[in-house]
Amino acid sequence: MVDWSPFFISMKTASLSIVITFFVGLIIAWGIVKLKNDSIKIVLDGIFTLPLVLPPTVVGFFLLYIIGVKGPIGSFFIEFFAIKIAFSWPATVIAAVVMSFPLMYRSARGAFEQVDPNLLDAGRTLGMSEWKIFWKVLFANALPGIISGGILAYARGLGEFGASLMIAGNIAGRTRTLPMAVYSDVAAGNMGNAVDYVIIIVLIAFIAIFIMDFISIRKEKQWRY
């Protein structure tokens, strides 16, 4: 019999992580695009992209070092709030956010850089604030690329395994997500359950991509006509 707790844990984790990743990725991408100092831009871009190229277990190691019980942030929360972050459900969200952030950030940055700068200058000549220019001009014109970044980030958060295993563990009913459930059942020889979890993951990923691609295509058609 299939245990549905990994499904609910994965959906909660992926849903919350994409909300955080989406807005943080947008703001940071906007800030990087506006930077005038190329050296600082290169350094910051490297830092924000690093989780994309590092092995997930290495990212998980760094997270464990920071928010573990002996880490600076982890020990702070334990001492002042009596909250243990590591090996809890919030840790799965943190891992998903960190691992999916580079995809959202780089997609949003690429989309922003493709927007004609003359459109932004036109907004400034009309007296629009920078915040209004961002939402009404930059964001609106970069929306297809931003949606694509959201698709990739959501899928990455849903499928996160390595970093989550390091920082959140594989605790049944608490931190065991769908990818961990697949790993656990295969290791235990329960191939039937593993197949069920794989089918669920594939269906969720396909539905998410279909919906977001549909929205993106509709938006592009509206702009054309």
Side-chain angles (χ1 to χ4, degrees):
M1 184 175 180
V2 176
D3 177 12
W4 285 96
S5 64
F7 169 78
F8 294 114
I9 293 171
S10 288
M11 293 305 296
K12 287 194 302 180
T13 300
S15 299
L16 181 55
S17 68
I18 189 55
V19 171
I20 298 171
T21 302
F22 184 82
F23 289 104
V24 174
L26 280 184
I27 294 171
I28 292 181
W30 183 35
I32 293 295
V33 169
K34 291 180 64 178
L35 269 179
K36 303 299 182 183
N37 191 310
D38 289 337
S39 298
I40 296 177
K41 182 181 291 189
I42 291 172
V43 172
L44 291 177
D45 183 72
I47 293 173
F48 294 137
T49 307
L50 204 56
L52 186 63
V53 296
L54 285 176
T57 50
V58 174
V59 177
F61 172 82
F62 283 117
L63 289 175
L64 188 60
Y65 185 82
I66 294 171
I67 66 176
V69 292
K70 295 183 179 179
I73 296 178
S75 60
F76 174 81
F77 272 83
I78 290 175
E79 182 177 354
F80 291 95
F81 303 104
I83 297 175
K84 181 183 176 183
I85 302 177
F87 301 103
S88 65
W89 177 72
T92 66
V93 177
I94 293 172
V97 167
V98 172
M99 293 303 299
S100 62
F101 170 81
L103 294 172
M104 185 66 224
Y105 157 72
R106 292 201 68 86
S107 297
R109 180 185 169 184
F112 288 157
E113 290 176 340
Q114 291 178 5
V115 176
D116 188 353
N118 292 325
L119 294 176
L120 308 182
D121 293 334
R124 294 186 181 98
T125 59
L126 294 174
M128 297 174 65
S129 65
E130 289 297 318
W131 188 245
K132 198 169 185 179
I133 289 173
F134 172 77
W135 284 112
K136 297 291 186 179
V137 182
L138 188 61
F139 179 83
N141 284 276
L143 189 58
I146 292 172
I147 291 176
S148 297
I151 295 171
L152 295 173
Y154 180 83
R156 185 67 185 85
L158 183 67
E160 168 50 32
F161 177 79
S164 295
L165 187 62
M166 292 286 290
I167 189 63
N170 187 13
I171 307 171
R174 292 180 56 193
T175 65
R176 179 173 293 173
T177 58
L178 284 171
M180 292 183 188
V182 173
Y183 171 80
S184 298
D185 281 329
V186 170
N190 300 324
M191 297 303 294
N193 284 349
V195 169
D196 291 337
Y197 288 134
V198 167
I199 293 173
I200 292 172
I201 293 173
V202 172
L203 286 176
I204 294 173
F206 180 80
I207 290 171
I209 292 172
F210 177 84
I211 292 174
M212 292 188 179
D213 276 350
F214 178 78
I215 294 173
S216 179
I217 291 171
R218 287 288 299 273
K219 194 68 176 180
E220 288 181 352
K221 286 183 177 180
Q222 288 177 1
W223 289 346
R224 288 176 186 173
Y225 304 105

